[in-house]
Amino acid sequence: MQRDNKLKTLHEKWLAECTCMLRKTAIQGVPGDGSADAQIVFIGEAPGAKEDKEGRPFIGSAGKFLAEMLESIKMKREDVYITNIVKYRPPENRDPTPKEIADCAKWLEEEIKHINPLLIVFLGRHAMNHFFPDEKISEAHGVVLTSNHFGKIRHFLPLYHPAAALYNGSLRETLKRDFKTIPKILKKLNRG
Ligand code: URA
């Protein structure tokens, strides 16, 4: 089976089997989206209202900002893979609980293992703290973290969440600056 088909099957399995209680209030599950051969996986927090309605991650205002930043480094959505730690919209867009994150964790793990990206980019503290519980986003943003996760050494870049940066000028500039370091990081990782 092709890698993209395998990823589709993985999502179908989890859409049927995920035990996250948010299924009760969300319209639908929002699986990750993009290429199974992506070198970069972006991980956000949880779907918002628009994502819940359409079933695709990052298609609202935060997604538009993410697409603009991708364009600034000459990349398109189709070149990368975009997902969330929690696959169902929390009511009123509240923060996901540790239980909700834990219930969706295996789904995320299987996505990452299947894609096996060179670089994992955290969009915001929730995604970062799932992997690095002791890090603070105000200190870790823009700094590559390297650690053994899911059976191998992986590289991670924490960034501020685009939604948090949308309405805060100084965060926005920091996020844009951090984002622009991605091509250089990838180049270095590609060289090994
Ligand atoms: N914010 C997120 O963290 N994820 C989405 O999919 C949309 C907005």
Side-chain angles (χ1 to χ4, degrees):
M1 211 186 323
Q2 297 243 307
R3 286 172 48 71
D4 277 318
N5 284 347
K6 253 193 174 162
L7 187 59
K8 198 165 159 247
T9 306
L10 185 159
H11 289 317
E12 280 165 4
K13 179 193 83 167
W14 281 107
L15 282 166
E17 291 178 5
C18 187
T19 56
C20 182
M21 293 296 276
L22 292 172
R23 292 176 73 121
K24 293 206 168 138
T25 47
I27 298 170
Q28 59 185 317
V30 179
D33 178 45
S35 166
D37 295 315
Q39 290 199 329
I40 314 179
V41 167
F42 288 87
I43 310 179
E45 180 183 329
K50 189 143 194 223
E51 290 80 15
D52 188 31
K53 216 179 263 170
E54 314 248 337
R56 277 184 83 203
F58 281 96
I59 52 162
S61 47
K64 201 165 157 247
F65 185 29
L66 177 61
E68 277 170 29
M69 287 189 289
L70 280 169
E71 209 173 299
S72 79
I73 58 166
K74 305 201 170 16
M75 281 188 180
K76 293 195 243 37
R77 252 188 99 103
E78 305 81 75
D79 301 329
V80 301
Y81 184 83
I82 303 172
T83 191
N84 284 300
I85 45 171
V86 165
K87 309 294 199 256
Y88 299 87
R89 182 192 181 203
E92 316 296 332
N93 297 343
R94 64 157 169 74
D95 288 352
T97 65
K99 169 90 170 90
E100 289 154 3
I101 294 173
D103 286 342
C104 291
K106 202 85 189 131
W107 188 344
L108 177 65
E109 177 179 339
E110 287 189 13
E111 286 176 289
I112 291 173
K113 278 187 176 159
H114 180 72
I115 297 164
N116 194 24
L118 268 181
L119 180 66
I120 295 174
V121 178
F122 299 131
L123 298 173
R125 67 185 168 92
H126 289 280
M128 179 186 72
N129 288 144
H130 180 55
F131 292 80
F132 298 92
D134 298 329
E135 294 288 347
K136 288 197 172 62
I137 194 72
S138 57
E139 292 165 8
H141 74 88
V143 179
V144 176
L145 303 171
T146 301
S147 172
N148 194 324
H149 277 280
F150 314 139
K152 66 173 276 198
I153 299 285
R154 296 181 192 273
H155 305 282
F156 304 86
L157 177 69
L159 298 180
Y160 283 112
H161 194 290
L166 261 183
Y167 305 106
N168 177 325
S170 88
L171 274 196
R172 193 168 59 240
E173 289 315 304
T174 304
L175 173 55
K176 280 161 73 176
R177 208 170 40 240
D178 288 345
F179 207 96
K180 289 214 170 111
T181 64
I182 290 175
K184 224 184 191 169
I185 295 168
L186 265 190
K187 208 170 171 184
K188 202 167 159 204
L189 293 174
N190 264 311
R191 273 198 239 114

